[in-house]
Amino acid sequence: MSDLPGIVITGASGRMGQMLIRTVVESKGAKLVGAVERTGHDWIGQDLGVAMGGTALGVAVTDDPLDAFAKAQAVIDFTTPDATVEFAALAAQARAVHVIGTTGLEETHLEKIRLAARHAIVVRAGNMSLGVNLLVQLTKKVAAALDEDFDIEVIEAHHHHKVDAPSGTALMLGEAAAEGRGVHLADVSDSGRDGITGARKRGDIGFSAIRGGDIVGEHDVMFAGQGERIVLRHMATDRGIFARGALKAALWGQGHKPGEYDMMDVLGLS
């Protein structure tokens, strides 16, 4: 047990944080060595298991990420963009694999993450599931096969707590479609429809976001032509798929060279 890679979970009290904790605790390939929460949170100083309403795990929740990271081989991080940037620098300092599932990252955040990846292993993906990453590959291939006579629309649905739109997964799919067509997504993205917008521009890649209830995550990529439509779909019904994928990424990262990787690398699909 002592030889297993040690994992730290950030944002421990959140829904994904708790799912990640349970996944690591139940794993036979890793051990939980730390849990991080923001300063002032009620869980700080408590045993993690007790804070979650269960039995003690022997891991105290801390607001000192560097101290926690120094004891770990990997950090799994599904938090917020600003927090993730801070954690990236600290994980690099600790030489711990940093697995990032945080969405809503902007270019300023990504630049700082790339700097951290010069010194440490960073695995970043908008979605950690096997099915979604296969969908990304299929989207790229279909987009490459069809010309601009087919409009591309990425339609995503999530629970009403989600704060960013389009989702990180939707953007992954949009990037894949753009790559398949040999264009930059920034040049063809259309996600701001409201009111009298005029006709759709040929070649644009559209995004539609639905928020409601407890939807874990649903993504469709629609290729709409004259008289026919092709729809690629992935539906997530269990948040555990993301946690298991993230743990797989944390274990895969052990022994790799510093750099920025994604789930395509982890799954051998790149």
Side-chain angles (χ1 to χ4, degrees):
M1 183 72 178
S2 61
D3 294 333
L4 297 178
I7 310 291
V8 171
I9 305 300
T10 62
S13 70
R15 285 177 301 165
M16 265 310 300
Q18 294 189 53
M19 177 64 72
L20 288 161
I21 288 161
R22 288 191 288 270
T23 299
V24 175
V25 169
E26 294 168 3
S27 169
K28 295 180 180 179
K31 60 183 177 181
L32 185 70
V33 297
V36 175
E37 258 302 344
R38 66 185 184 277
T39 300
H41 194 279
D42 292 343
W43 285 20
I44 300 300
Q46 291 191 53
D47 181 275
L48 179 59
V50 174
M52 290 175 61
T55 58
L57 293 174
V59 174
V61 182
T62 182
D63 59 359
D64 185 348
L66 182 57
D67 181 65
F69 295 178
K71 303 170 185 174
Q73 282 70 56
V75 176
I76 303 180
D77 175 19
F78 284 65
T79 55
T80 64
D82 288 342
T84 290
V85 167
E86 177 186 349
F87 294 146
L90 297 176
Q93 187 175 336
R95 297 298 188 266
V97 174
H98 188 192
V99 177
I100 300 174
T102 302
T103 59
L105 296 164
E106 298 180 357
E107 184 57 32
T108 54
H109 301 116
L110 297 175
E111 287 175 2
K112 294 176 181 178
I113 290 169
R114 284 192 284 268
L115 287 174
R118 294 180 181 179
H119 308 286
I121 299 144
V122 175
V123 182
R124 183 179 64 84
N127 194 298
M128 298 284 176
S129 88
L130 171 61
V132 161
N133 283 279
L134 289 172
L135 179 60
V136 168
Q137 291 289 75
L138 290 171
T139 297
K140 187 188 303 182
K141 290 184 178 181
V142 175
L146 300 175
D147 62 21
E148 292 182 351
D149 286 340
F150 282 79
D151 297 318
I152 302 176
E153 189 79 10
V154 181
I155 306 152
E156 54 105 341
H158 284 88
H159 52 85
H160 57 216
H161 296 290
K162 188 166 180 62
V163 298
D164 59 308
S167 69
T169 303
L171 292 172
M172 283 175 61
L173 293 166
E175 290 282 4
E179 186 176 343
R181 282 198 168 166
V183 297
H184 295 292
L185 181 60
D187 296 332
V188 296
S189 177
D190 178 10
S191 59
R193 303 188 195 110
D194 184 32
I196 307 300
T197 61
R200 182 185 181 118
K201 183 180 176 182
R202 180 179 171 86
D204 274 1
I205 296 174
F207 293 89
S208 301
I210 298 166
R211 297 289 177 266
D214 62 354
I215 301 170
V216 174
E218 299 177 5
H219 293 86
D220 289 358
V221 184
M222 178 187 296
F223 297 83
Q226 295 298 314
E228 60 182 336
R229 285 176 293 172
I230 301 165
V231 180
L232 306 177
R233 167 173 287 188
H234 179 270
M235 300 177 68
T237 57
D238 174 12
R239 194 168 277 104
I241 64 173
F242 311 127
R244 291 189 291 272
L247 178 57
K248 184 181 181 72
L251 298 178
W252 175 89
Q254 303 303 311
H256 277 76
K257 295 180 180 179
E260 189 173 10
Y261 302 91
D262 58 23
M263 285 302 288
M264 296 297 185
D265 297 306
V266 174
L267 298 171
L269 297 173
S270 58

